[in-house]
Amino acid sequence: MRSPHTLGVAVAVSMTLFVADAAAQSRPLPPGSEPISSVEVTAPARSVRIYQKDLDAVSGTYAMSNGWRLQVTPAPGGVSAKIGRDRPMRLVALSPDKYATRDGNVTMEFNRGSSGDDMVMSYVPDRRLAQVIVVKATLAQR
């Protein structure tokens, strides 16, 4: 059985270590230095209920302004988008006309333009850079 004195010493030592650790973390940075790292939190794209007629309205092959061909097909809760021979991307429905990858790095807005056959895709080419590429496309075939 431990004596009350031993327990008191253990609590005092634990509190001293806790306070020392907290003080070490709250010290200001030396002049001219910057934080070593940062954290960016992005909420995952949230899907909405989507109907087959909405998926059919955006499905098809799109001729993109940069020369790529984009194939969009219905998928559970959204669409699957494939550019050339790349792996298909899964995008969830944010609305009947807007879809995004779960990480938010790729978004597609359909039914744009005067005829409703245009689409705009934006994507982040490299997560390490603050850059977004926007590519426009026109429906080539359904």
Side-chain angles (χ1 to χ4, degrees), residues 1-131:
M1 185 170 204
R2 292 188 178 150
S3 70
H5 177 70
T6 306
L7 184 58
V9 170
V11 169
V13 169
S14 297
M15 292 302 293
T16 303
L17 291 174
F18 176 74
V19 169
D21 184 49
Q25 292 179 10
S26 63
R27 288 188 184 142
L29 294 172
S33 66
E34 295 182 22
I36 294 173
S37 64
S38 63
V39 175
E40 181 180 327
V41 178
T42 304
R46 211 168 154 185
S47 64
V48 298
R49 184 170 178 90
I50 199 76
Y51 299 98
Q52 188 63 44
K53 67 179 177 76
D54 299 320
L55 296 174
D56 292 342
V58 300
S59 295
T61 302
Y62 291 82
M64 303 185 78
S65 60
N66 61 1
W68 297 345
R69 302 276 290 171
L70 172 71
Q71 180 67 42
V72 178
T73 56
V79 296
S80 177
K82 186 173 185 218
I83 299 172
R85 294 183 179 169
D86 288 346
R87 238 180 19 194
M89 296 177 283
R90 290 264 305 137
L91 291 92
V92 295
L94 303 177
S95 76
D97 296 330
K98 188 169 184 176
Y99 297 80
T101 54
R102 290 247 181 231
D103 63 7
N105 285 340
V106 178
T107 61
M108 294 182 184
E109 292 184 52
F110 295 91
N111 298 323
R112 296 179 53 117
S114 59
S115 64
D117 287 340
D118 295 342
M119 185 271 296
V120 174
M121 178 178 83
S122 61
Y123 66 96
V124 177
D126 187 341
R127 289 179 166 202
R128 297 171 294 175
L129 302 174
Q131 181 181 21

